[in-house]
Amino acid sequence: MSKQIRAYALTKKGGKFERYDYDPGPLGADRVEVAVQYCGICHSDLSMAKNEWGMTAYPFVPGHEVIGKITAVGDGVTTLKPGQTVGVGWYTGSCLHCRQCLAGDQNLCQTAEAAIVGHHGGFADRIRCQETWAIPLPAGVDAAKAGPLFCGGITVFNPLVQFDIRPTDRVGVIGIGGLGHLALKFLRAWGCEVVAFSSSESKRDEILKLGAHRILDSRNDSQLKGARGSLDLILNTTDAGLNWPLYVECLAPRGRLHTVGAIPEPISLAAFPLIVGQKSLSGSPLGSPLNTTKMLDFCARHKIEPITETFPLSKINEAFAHLEAGKARYRIVLSNDLPA
């Protein structure tokens, strides 16, 4: 196998993806190398491509929803072997010795390594990561569709575990897109009463099929007021500014408004409604390797998978344009068609 990793990269902000090869250097003792079969495209890839977060280094190879087979392992790797099918998500390494890592919250490690921040990602024929972050794919999970589970999926699954959501809970989901459609599927299988907040009337029938028991217009204040005090958790998957005080009113006592969407503007809330109802506002990033494994097992048991569209990797520019135009339903997966 060539030492060179073959990829598609942006050489500048606003440019087009071009073929790009690079030498990854020697394989680290705690690392595995994965031959990429499929890689999802996430809105985070789009944001990084545009350097919206001010931390993109060019040439830039996106891709952090990888499914592939292990081709090589470092000398210190003990739990994985060549030939295994694994997934690699946003995180590709963590220190493993800080308080967060030792507590099983490796995704909260302050020195965690991200696949596409200062590193090259999975729009390539191979990618490398720390042994801990290569998660074996269980039987019953379709490799061709599983990539988005390693970002969008774990992002909305993790809060259900972290906050001990119960089958008797009533949960609202804001935004039924790449993350939100998976949240509906998870929550329905979890046994919760599921309320979808969406402004898209055209999606109504599909949202109900995805798992929502009822739908409220996310921008209709009168409908929100009608849901006052009814929800134990509201999960926001959008990056849009909304009438947050009204959403807090929708929460039952001890309820939580939790965002996994990167809202660019401040969330303005008065303290008194939070205090009186003992309500809270929170956020979270993806999940630990253990919770990712739990999510995959849950998906296999309940036959949950993302709704995806597939493009060949060579059509990466067309795929990005499709995503940027808001046409993706609901996640895009790239199939590696680089010549062997």
Side-chain angles (χ1 to χ4, degrees):
M1 180 181 291
S2 170
K3 291 183 179 180
Q4 293 281 312
I5 287 182
R6 299 174 300 163
Y8 281 88
L10 292 172
T11 58
K12 62 181 180 180
K13 180 180 177 180
K16 295 289 186 180
F17 284 96
E18 302 171 6
R19 281 280 290 106
Y20 170 73
D21 297 347
Y22 69 95
D23 185 348
L27 185 64
D30 65 343
R31 302 273 152 164
V32 300
E33 185 169 272
V34 178
V36 178
Q37 295 172 309
Y38 304 98
C39 186
I41 305 180
C42 176
H43 268 280
S44 298
D45 292 312
L46 186 58
S47 295
M48 286 288 292
K50 295 180 175 182
N51 197 23
E52 290 178 351
W53 300 334
M55 56 186 183
T56 304
Y58 301 96
F60 171 60
V61 180
H64 59 278
E65 297 180 345
V66 172
I67 302 294
K69 289 187 181 293
I70 294 176
T71 57
V73 299
D75 292 340
V77 172
T78 60
T79 63
L80 299 172
K81 59 185 179 182
Q84 279 186 277
T85 298
V86 297
V88 181
W90 178 264
Y91 296 110
T92 52
S94 49
C95 78
L96 304 182
H97 55 73
C98 68
R99 287 177 179 266
Q100 287 73 32
C101 285
L102 292 174
D105 293 321
Q106 296 93 335
N107 57 309
L108 301 181
C109 176
Q110 294 186 13
T111 59
E113 170 189 304
I116 62 172
V117 180
H119 305 86
H120 291 316
F123 293 176
D125 64 348
R126 286 172 286 146
I127 190 173
R128 292 178 175 183
C129 74
Q130 193 176 52
E131 174 184 17
T132 304
W133 289 100
I135 314 298
L137 208 64
V141 175
D142 185 353
K145 289 181 170 289
L149 293 174
F150 284 81
C151 183
I154 185 57
T155 295
V156 295
F157 184 88
N158 191 53
L160 310 187
V161 178
Q162 294 287 311
F163 303 132
D164 193 25
I165 299 304
R166 302 176 183 181
T168 52
D169 286 342
R170 298 158 298 175
V171 182
V173 178
I174 306 173
I176 313 305
L179 276 67
H181 91 284
L182 283 168
L184 295 183
K185 289 188 172 193
F186 287 145
L187 288 163
R188 186 62 178 252
W190 210 270
C192 298
E193 180 181 331
V194 187
V195 177
F197 292 95
S198 174
S199 59
S200 178
E201 182 62 30
S202 64
K203 290 183 181 178
R204 182 175 184 84
D205 290 344
E206 188 169 16
I207 288 171
L208 294 173
K209 289 179 182 177
L210 286 168
H213 291 93
R214 57 194 176 101
I215 304 170
L216 298 177
D217 188 334
S218 57
R219 297 187 182 277
N220 187 318
D221 289 357
S222 63
Q223 287 193 22
L224 296 186
K225 289 176 181 177
R228 182 175 290 143
S230 64
L231 298 172
D232 300 295
L233 171 70
I234 297 176
L235 182 63
N236 174 57
T237 70
T238 75
D239 59 2
L242 295 171
N243 190 338
W244 301 115
L246 267 184
Y247 280 98
V248 169
E249 285 189 27
C250 290
L251 294 172
R254 297 182 186 271
R256 178 186 296 269
L257 173 58
H258 186 80
T259 187
V260 294
I263 306 161
E265 61 194 43
I267 298 176
S268 181
L269 292 171
F272 195 67
L274 299 177
I275 294 170
V276 171
Q278 201 170 322
K279 301 174 183 180
S280 57
L281 170 68
S282 56
S284 63
L286 291 91
S288 68
L290 176 59
N291 283 345
T292 303
T293 299
K294 288 180 179 179
M295 175 201 63
L296 293 172
D297 290 341
F298 189 79
C299 287
R301 184 179 311 127
H302 293 283
K303 303 187 186 308
I304 293 172
E305 61 185 20
I307 296 173
T308 60
E309 300 176 77
T310 304
F311 286 73
L313 179 58
S314 58
K315 298 293 185 183
I316 177 62
N317 287 302
E318 290 89 334
F320 253 71
H322 189 68
L323 175 65
E324 191 168 12
K327 296 179 179 178
R329 291 292 182 272
Y330 282 92
R331 302 289 285 198
I332 297 173
V333 173
L334 299 171
S335 176
N336 181 15
D337 64 343
L338 285 166

